[in-house]
Amino acid sequence: MPTYLAIDGFLAALFVVFSLGVIATRQMLGTLYLFMLNSLALTASAVLIGIALGSPHLFWVAAITFSTKVIAIPLVLRWSAGPQIYERREVEQVLTIPVAVLIAAVLALVAWIVSAPLVHAISDRPFAAINLPTGLVAIFFGAFTVAVRREAIAQLMGILIMESGAFFASISIVNDLSIITEVAAAVDLPVIALVIGLLIRNIHRVTGITRVGLLAELKEHR
Amino acid sequence: MTLAWILIVPAIATLAALASRRAAPWVTLASAVVVLALSANAALMVAGGATLHEAFGGLSLDALSAVYLLLVAFVGVTAALYSIGYLRVHDAGHEGTTPRYRAYWPLYNLFMISMLGVPLVSDLAVIWIAIELTTIFSAFLVAYENRSAALEAAWKYVALTSVGAMIALFGMLVLYYGIHHAGQPVTWPGLLAAAPSLPPALLLVCFVLWLVGFGTKAGLVPMHTWLPDAHSQAPASICALLSGVEVSGALYMLLRIYPALVRNPGIAHPGNWYLVAGLLSVAVAAFLLLQVHDFKRLFAYSTIEHMGVILAACGLGMGAHELGTVYQFFAHAFTKSFCFYAAGMATIVFGTQEIAKVRGLMSRAPVAGWALLLGGLAIAGAPPFALFISEFQILATGFATGQYVATGLLTALLVLAFIAILYQVGRIVFGEPAQAAPRMKLPASSLAAMAIAFVPMLVFGFYLPPPLQALIHQAAALLGGTP
């Protein structure tokens, strides 16, 4: 078990680094690649914990994560959002990248502190001490990405990173999700990517931009 | 198979609406009527306190979920009927030819399926998926206008509520562990059974994550910013669904976890969380109602106020509050949908939603004028409408149980909201129109939908049919923690 825990710790570190990358990278395409790498770390952690705990359900989770997040979502986005997603361009930020990274570091610390009572309450799951705080860090990073990125695709990646964070935490404690839940989760994410991708395409078609942070017509006072 | 058919019928309607654009509105309406009949039948079966189980336990219905199911089904019928005439006038003769109109009806049915799934599905994680799908399927309905402002509103709606959903997902998965670890099925009864033995830290963390996550979807302050924007841009029929039942679906999740919190001996005064969150929403909404400039935003802020009232009522404690909470939840749905139907008519008449630019609705279109006035009175909580009964029940019980500060504050805020709503509605309805114009003829199907929605709004203020009374009492008992 110590070896498995050590490897899982390494995967958790990668997971956090890739999540942070989605906040910090300047390149549009980079956010997508980092999300795919982040999903790969989640897949690997699910396989590892599945082997360590002898839980075949986690192999399903790994297979679903890989097929939906690493393969299906980039393809669905390419089809739905249109070619602008693959353009080489910079992502606009509300904050400068150093400030964003600094705030992300504080968020990571907060996530670690906040998850402490939860980790204590779930002391019978050895991987929870690694995966729960890591998952919460990714959830915070994802929400922060939505807040500071002006680009629609980058914001979508933030939402998906949050979902990955929730699952990174849960694989350490819930290793027997019902089949219906797994199938529903597998269908749910590509549908979310499809609809949001189509929405991004419509925004681009009507406004000429995908920098949703610049859309500011709706105000209480005119 | 009653419960399964409630989901199958709109699924068939979705396919039919995709196949025939001409028949799509009527197929959707027929489907909604069938779903309402099936839902009423299922609700009757559980009104005595029973729980229905179907599909190997995958679908279930108790009194509290039946109340929500009935509301979704009822507003689903009136919104479909309203849409037929409203979109015809709104699209000015181009309906049926635009891609957005063709997409409207299949999406409407998918939106209905996702909302109907929330009370019907047993597994808590699948309920989360159903709630997330309500956002996804309604995104393009919010963006129906396909203008910059509508797309901005849709994006804010999707982005913010999805962030909320992901936060709630984390709470859901941790709760999944807790319930499963306690040897219970991951359902509402399983949660209740597991609640006393769950570690308080685990249950409390899950609840806080739900409060933030589902609270975003329910439009609770300070996560409410998407709600007025989405309601100012979406067609009135979609506003009726969003405000009447969709946001209530997220609140339904917070109501259902409440008895579990009460049952856990390690969590002291869980009602205080509800009370504080509720009062904050009511307070902010009441002040925003005073300064609002758009009459659809007016009713959106009123939704935030009502979500707050329901939460605060729940937090006021045990006893008769549960009845007031459930009745408020119940009455809000059809009253708010009626208000948005009336607001949609006013938009057709004036061609704008800006309060400052509209006067004399009563003389331009008397039916719309009366509807907006009565809707305003009803949603503000004036007698003899249904919301008066629930608000009176909540406040009377609050004072009777000695919770003077919280109840006094709630009373003051409700009075402020009452004044604000009637002041704004009065500006629209009365006075002389800025420009002389002939009286408007409003679409018949939309007027019919308003007439149907008006009946419960008025009648349930002084008479509740015995089966419905039994259902609401059973739902209140479930909220109070009776398994």
Side-chain angles (χ1 to χ4, degrees):
Chain A
M1 190 61 80
T3 312
Y4 288 124
L5 286 170
I7 299 170
D8 192 48
F10 173 70
L11 292 172
L14 285 179
F15 188 78
V16 170
V17 168
F18 295 141
S19 305
L20 183 65
V22 175
I23 298 174
T25 189
R26 288 178 191 278
Q27 285 301 318
M28 174 79 160
L29 200 54
T31 60
L32 185 66
Y33 288 150
L34 283 161
F35 165 71
M36 290 162 75
L37 288 169
N38 178 274
S39 304
L40 270 178
L42 169 59
T43 306
S45 183
V47 170
L48 182 84
I49 299 174
I51 294 168
L53 302 179
S55 171
H57 278 276
L58 289 179
F59 298 138
W60 277 110
V61 171
I64 287 169
T65 301
F66 185 80
S67 54
T68 55
K69 292 181 180 171
V70 182
I71 298 171
I73 287 177
L75 291 175
V76 164
L77 276 177
R78 182 176 200 130
W79 180 81
S80 61
Q84 66 266 29
I85 187 177
Y86 290 98
E87 279 174 12
R88 191 170 266 283
R89 61 197 167 93
E90 293 220 346
V91 182
E92 275 193 41
Q93 297 245 126
V94 176
L95 302 171
T96 62
I97 286 175
V99 173
V101 170
L102 199 65
I103 293 172
V106 175
L107 286 176
L109 201 64
V110 170
W112 222 267
I113 294 164
V114 166
S115 61
L118 203 56
V119 171
H120 183 71
I122 309 175
S123 52
D124 64 324
R125 303 286 164 130
F127 290 94
I130 299 169
N131 283 45
L132 263 179
T134 307
L136 199 57
V137 168
I139 288 173
F140 281 12
F141 281 6
F144 187 55
T145 305
V146 177
V148 295
R149 295 293 211 171
R150 286 199 169 121
E151 186 64 52
I153 295 292
Q155 289 193 11
L156 172 61
M157 291 303 133
I159 292 167
L160 294 175
I161 289 283
M162 290 182 80
E163 201 267 356
S164 291
F167 269 90
F168 196 86
S170 73
I171 53 172
S172 65
I173 53 171
V174 186
N175 39 37
D176 47 4
L177 273 174
S178 65
I179 285 294
I180 181 79
T181 311
E182 287 173 17
V183 171
V187 175
D188 184 44
L189 265 191
V191 170
I192 292 172
L194 172 69
V195 172
I196 295 183
L198 287 171
L199 191 58
I200 292 169
R201 179 145 77 177
N202 257 23
I203 290 170
H204 187 254
R205 188 185 298 152
V206 173
T207 65
I209 56 169
T210 53
R211 281 164 290 169
V212 288
L214 299 181
L215 297 175
E217 264 187 60
L218 297 169
K219 291 186 179 74
E220 193 54 67
H221 301 282
R222 285 162 201 274
Chain B
M1 279 291 282
T2 307
L3 303 184
W5 278 110
I6 292 172
L7 297 174
I8 293 168
V9 169
I12 295 169
T14 306
L15 296 174
L18 281 168
S20 166
R21 87 172 73 140
R22 196 177 285 269
W26 305 107
V27 166
T28 303
L29 180 60
S31 154
V33 170
V34 172
V35 164
L36 177 60
L38 291 168
S39 302
N41 182 41
L44 274 177
M45 286 193 253
V46 299
T51 302
L52 286 180
H53 295 283
E54 273 185 21
F56 307 105
L59 301 176
S60 59
L61 192 77
D62 61 17
L64 189 50
S65 48
V67 168
Y68 182 56
L69 176 71
L70 264 183
L71 294 174
V72 174
F74 179 79
V75 180
V77 170
T78 56
L81 183 59
Y82 185 90
S83 301
I84 295 171
Y86 177 79
L87 293 183
R88 190 178 302 139
V89 175
H90 182 274
D91 287 4
H94 296 293
E95 76 281 356
T97 57
T98 56
R100 63 180 186 178
Y101 183 85
R102 287 200 294 275
Y104 181 89
W105 297 104
L107 283 172
Y108 185 97
N109 285 302
L110 287 171
F111 185 32
M112 284 300 292
I113 295 170
S114 57
M115 282 195 292
L116 292 165
V118 174
L120 287 176
V121 167
S122 303
D123 189 292
L124 298 189
V126 184
I127 296 177
W128 177 87
I129 291 170
I131 289 184
E132 175 60 5
L133 288 178
T134 61
T135 302
I136 295 304
F137 291 140
S138 57
F140 276 96
L141 296 173
V142 170
Y144 184 79
E145 297 279 353
N146 211 27
R147 287 181 287 106
S148 172
L151 289 163
E152 180 189 344
W155 181 261
K156 281 184 185 170
Y157 168 54
V158 169
L160 277 174
T161 58
S162 293
V163 165
M166 297 312 162
I167 292 168
L169 174 66
F170 184 57
M172 178 73 77
L173 292 169
V174 174
L175 195 62
Y176 206 101
Y177 156 80
I179 300 171
H180 203 67
H181 194 64
Q184 298 292 336
V186 191
T187 58
W188 295 122
L191 171 62
L192 268 191
S197 60
L198 288 179
L202 184 144
L203 193 53
L204 205 54
V205 166
C206 292
F207 165 69
V208 172
L209 290 167
W210 278 26
L211 185 64
V212 175
F214 290 129
T216 306
K217 179 92 170 176
L220 297 180
V221 172
M223 298 87 72
H224 65 286
T225 51
W226 67 269
L227 199 143
D229 288 347
H231 284 74
S232 68
Q233 297 303 313
S237 46
I238 299 307
C239 292
L241 282 168
L242 289 178
S243 237
V245 283
E246 196 215 14
V247 295
S248 307
L251 204 71
Y252 165 81
M253 301 299 285
L254 295 175
L255 294 183
R256 294 235 58 157
I257 201 174
Y258 177 70
L261 296 170
V262 172
R263 280 183 159 212
N264 190 291
I267 300 175
H269 310 298
N272 287 348
W273 287 90
Y274 285 74
L275 198 56
V276 170
L279 285 175
L280 179 67
S281 291
V282 180
V284 172
F287 284 102
L288 286 169
L289 280 167
L290 274 173
Q291 51 175 308
V292 77
H293 292 255
D294 175 315
F295 55 77
K296 279 173 81 185
R297 290 177 91 92
L298 172 80
F299 291 119
Y301 283 123
S302 156
T303 296
I304 297 168
E305 177 220 343
H306 279 266
M307 294 299 112
V309 171
I310 295 166
L311 217 57
C314 186
L316 276 172
M318 303 295 288
H321 282 116
E322 283 86 34
L323 197 58
T325 307
V326 174
Y327 209 73
Q328 180 84 7
F329 183 82
F330 177 70
H332 165 82
F334 44 78
T335 308
K336 186 50 60 67
S337 56
F338 180 85
C339 288
F340 273 109
Y341 298 149
M345 291 294 103
T347 311
I348 287 177
V349 171
F350 291 116
T352 177
Q353 294 169 193
E354 277 193 60
I355 295 173
K357 291 183 180 170
V358 297
R359 289 288 180 277
L361 180 62
M362 200 69 96
S363 50
R364 281 285 298 272
V367 176
W370 276 107
L372 199 65
L373 181 62
L374 293 174
L377 283 166
I379 206 69
F385 298 103
L387 277 169
F388 170 74
I389 300 295
S390 55
E391 289 182 0
F392 183 79
Q393 167 93 23
I394 292 162
L395 299 178
T397 317
F399 285 120
T401 52
Q403 301 182 77
Y404 301 113
V405 175
T407 315
L409 189 58
L410 184 60
T411 309
L413 292 170
L414 284 176
V415 169
L416 182 64
F418 183 93
I419 294 167
I421 291 171
L422 292 188
Y423 166 68
Q424 303 287 16
V425 168
R427 289 171 69 193
I428 304 163
V429 170
F430 300 114
E432 286 301 312
Q435 294 170 325
R439 285 192 172 188
M440 291 275 306
K441 191 172 183 295
L442 298 169
S445 80
S446 304
L447 293 175
M450 284 166 65
I452 295 168
F454 183 73
V455 174
M457 186 177 93
L458 176 69
V459 173
F460 293 165
F462 50 84
Y463 173 74
L464 203 58
L468 210 48
Q469 210 168 3
L471 182 73
I472 286 175
H473 276 91
Q474 283 296 337
L478 280 170
L479 186 59
T482 310

